Amino acid sequence: MNAPAPPPAAAGRPSPAAVLELLKPITWFPPMWAFACGVVSSGIPIAERWQYFVLGVILAGPMVCATSQAVNDWFDRHVDEINEPHRPIPSGRIPGRWGLYIAIIWTILSALLAATLGTWVFWSAALGLVLAWAYSAPPARLKANGWWGNLAVGMSYESLAWITGAAVMLSGALPNWRVLALAGLYGLGAHGILTLNDFKAIEGDTRMGVRSLPVQLGVKGAAWAACLFMALPQVVVVLLLFAWDRPLNAAAVAVVLLIQVGMMVRFLGDPVGRALWLSAIGVSVYVTGMMISAFAVRSLAP
């Protein structure tokens, strides 16, 4: 099957407002929060490297995350023409191939900024950029399968952003294994969070051939998968914090997890109707546990 044709060319360039809408600032918070967790977990005071901290926040949100949004909107333009024609590309406010050009330009600028912040910052950002393109662009188009697509986003928005935050504070060095373990576990847990967002699009995903977990497993199966993906990594975090002689932090994360479990029980009674509720409130509780864990290993780093 041939790829859909790009939108017809239009005169002029996109306005700054249209470009900002394409880059979706509202989506920048999760990686910026994970980056902040990485900064805390590094054990290095922000005041010692505040300039690098600011550049790292820009890299995590307005650059790498924004790149992923531009890439996704370009390769989803044919779907958005049907479902969301008001978006910048299908509406013509991002004319011609400017959506693709912006995605490429932001990719290059992100890589250049990452290169100034140290070796492991660069490689972490580079992997995030590769995943951003692989998630949306053919032939990989990981988003077409909920197992791989949600994993790619979870690793990018949580794990890699966390590692980047720690590496920025460590002058570009690789963080210690405890930091890497926490980053990986919370990125894996984000797989479940992303599955929650798929419940609102079951009908559309089925029609478009997108194999989200609700499409593959059914509503009940996907609901259980989302809960397990969110909860089990946090159980491991609690056990690790106890093993690292951080009982108060471990207990705090356990309380955070129990609050989520209570919400999950309610969610399982009506997954479609309560998915957005759990996503909105439960995720706030989830990310609180991330910061508690980051503070727990702060004195154990670097």
Side-chain angles (χ1 to χ4, degrees):
M1 181 182 294
N2 294 327
R13 296 182 177 87
S15 68
V19 173
L20 185 62
E21 185 179 345
L22 178 71
L23 301 178
K24 298 186 185 68
I26 196 172
T27 67
W28 301 348
F29 172 76
M32 290 169 69
W33 180 266
F35 177 89
C37 290
V39 169
V40 170
S41 69
S42 73
I44 306 297
I46 292 177
E48 293 185 10
R49 290 179 60 81
W50 69 267
Q51 302 98 323
Y52 295 95
F53 169 77
V54 172
L55 291 174
V57 169
I58 294 171
L59 176 66
M63 298 309 301
V64 175
C65 182
T67 297
S68 71
Q69 299 304 319
V71 172
N72 186 65
D73 270 25
W74 174 255
F75 287 102
D76 271 5
R77 63 193 185 278
H78 53 291
V79 178
D80 290 340
E81 286 177 0
I82 300 171
N83 296 330
E84 299 182 86
H86 60 279
R87 283 192 170 188
I89 293 177
S91 69
R93 288 177 292 122
I94 301 286
R97 290 183 172 269
W98 269 101
L100 178 61
Y101 300 155
I102 292 169
I104 294 172
I105 291 169
W106 243 251
T107 299
I108 295 171
L109 291 176
S110 297
L112 291 174
L113 176 57
T116 69
L117 298 175
T119 301
W120 284 102
V121 175
F122 172 77
W123 287 115
S124 180
L127 180 55
L129 292 168
V130 168
L131 289 174
W133 282 86
Y135 177 77
S136 300
R141 199 159 169 80
L142 299 177
K143 68 179 299 178
N145 187 302
W147 294 110
W148 296 111
N150 291 354
L151 180 62
V153 176
M155 291 295 108
S156 297
Y157 278 34
E158 305 296 344
S159 300
L160 292 175
W162 186 313
I163 292 168
T164 299
V168 162
M169 301 306 289
L170 295 169
S171 302
L174 182 68
N176 68 51
W177 71 273
R178 294 181 180 88
V179 172
L180 297 177
L182 291 177
L185 287 165
Y186 278 109
L188 185 61
H191 192 299
I193 295 172
L194 292 157
T195 298
L196 297 176
N197 295 328
D198 292 332
F199 283 93
K200 66 180 184 294
I202 296 174
E203 182 178 353
D205 286 346
T206 302
R207 290 172 56 191
M208 298 300 298
V210 176
R211 291 173 53 77
S212 66
L213 292 198
V215 171
Q216 293 190 51
L217 304 178
V219 169
K220 285 293 185 182
W224 274 100
C227 292
L228 290 173
F229 264 109
M230 288 179 66
L232 292 180
Q234 294 179 83
V235 171
V236 177
V237 169
V238 171
L239 295 176
L240 286 176
L241 293 179
F242 271 118
W244 297 338
D245 196 25
R246 294 295 181 269
L248 294 180
N249 299 88
V253 175
V255 170
V256 164
L257 175 57
L258 288 174
I259 293 171
Q260 293 171 71
V261 169
M263 299 176 69
M264 289 173 185
V265 171
R266 184 170 186 268
F267 159 71
L268 289 170
D270 180 13
V272 174
R274 295 175 182 152
L276 293 181
W277 167 78
L278 180 58
S279 179
I281 303 177
V283 171
S284 299
V285 182
Y286 180 91
V287 300
T288 299
M290 290 173 58
M291 190 59 75
I292 293 171
S293 301
F295 273 102
V297 298
R298 181 178 178 84
S299 59
L300 302 175

